[in-house]
Amino acid sequence: MLRMRNIVVGLMIGLGILTLGGALITPYSISSQTPTQYNIFRIILATYTPLLTPISSAAGVRMVGGGGSQGIVPILIWLIAAFATGMTLRDPGKSGKAMFASASIILLLWIASVFLSAPTWPDLNSWLVEVDLLTSDLISRPIDMISLFIIPTGLAILTAQITQLKRRPIKTEASMDEDYYF
């Protein structure tokens, strides 16, 4: 039970930092023409879109859907989330699982919001064009899809490993002699 709670805490930290970071770099105005519950899906879509292509964004390529490049900010958000998760959990296995789950949830929420935001589009044709544009942009960037899972997960594991090593006392020759005599 304690083990699962730690992973959930790490997941909440990772998702919280990623969501807050995505929301801060993506200004979105709510449409007054559609009900609020549908606008939530458009906000999720706008928030997570720049986070899906951190490598491409750092290289100056436009983000998924044709928006402007965010520079190195998306990759910094991922690295901060991974670092915070590793520092908090201090367990490489739990940190890696939490960060991998965070990346998976971000991707799944983005995909779901693409489809659940359909009622907010003026007509079915414009929604289909947007879905086609978004998915073809995302699929054409495999390095970003791979990096979403490898880089943050690896950094969270590495950070947790380093913090775990710093917590352990270093055995000196004198302390080993004391252990031997007792």
Side-chain angles (χ1 to χ4, degrees):
M1 185 69 168
L2 181 63
R3 181 180 186 147
M4 184 60 130
R5 185 174 56 197
N6 287 342
I7 293 173
V8 170
V9 167
L11 178 65
M12 289 171 46
I13 289 169
L15 281 176
I17 291 171
L18 291 168
T19 302
L20 181 62
L24 290 175
I25 65 172
T26 309
Y28 178 76
S29 59
I30 295 176
S31 171
S32 61
Q33 299 166 334
T34 56
T36 305
Q37 67 265 22
Y38 293 119
N39 276 323
I40 291 171
F41 301 120
R42 295 284 295 266
I43 292 168
I44 290 171
L45 185 65
T47 299
Y48 292 148
T49 296
L51 296 176
L52 293 179
T53 55
I55 303 296
S56 296
S57 183
V61 178
R62 298 178 70 80
M63 70 180 172
V64 172
S69 172
Q70 298 289 335
I72 63 167
V73 176
I75 201 161
L76 288 176
I77 293 170
W78 280 102
L79 296 177
I80 290 168
F83 184 74
T85 302
M87 288 291 291
T88 303
L89 296 183
R90 296 181 181 172
D91 181 352
K94 293 175 188 175
S95 298
K97 289 175 187 174
M99 207 57 224
F100 189 84
S102 294
S104 299
I105 289 171
I106 294 288
L107 182 61
L108 290 174
L109 282 173
W110 184 83
I111 291 169
S113 66
V114 166
F115 291 101
L116 294 173
S117 68
T120 64
W121 296 93
D123 61 5
L124 183 60
N125 224 8
S126 62
W127 178 74
L128 287 173
V129 168
E130 186 70 19
V131 168
D132 182 50
L133 178 66
L134 290 171
T135 54
S136 63
D137 270 359
L138 190 61
I139 291 172
S140 69
R141 301 176 190 191
I143 190 75
D144 285 310
M145 297 311 304
I146 293 168
S147 70
L148 279 182
F149 297 102
I150 293 175
I151 294 172
T153 303
L155 181 62
I157 291 170
L158 182 64
T159 303
Q161 185 68 41
I162 290 170
T163 57
Q164 193 178 50
L165 289 175
K166 288 182 87 175
R167 282 191 316 174
R168 292 184 186 157
I170 298 174
K171 291 272 188 178
T172 62
E173 192 173 318
S175 66
M176 289 191 305
D177 288 341
E178 289 173 8
D179 289 344
Y180 180 72
Y181 289 119
F182 291 119

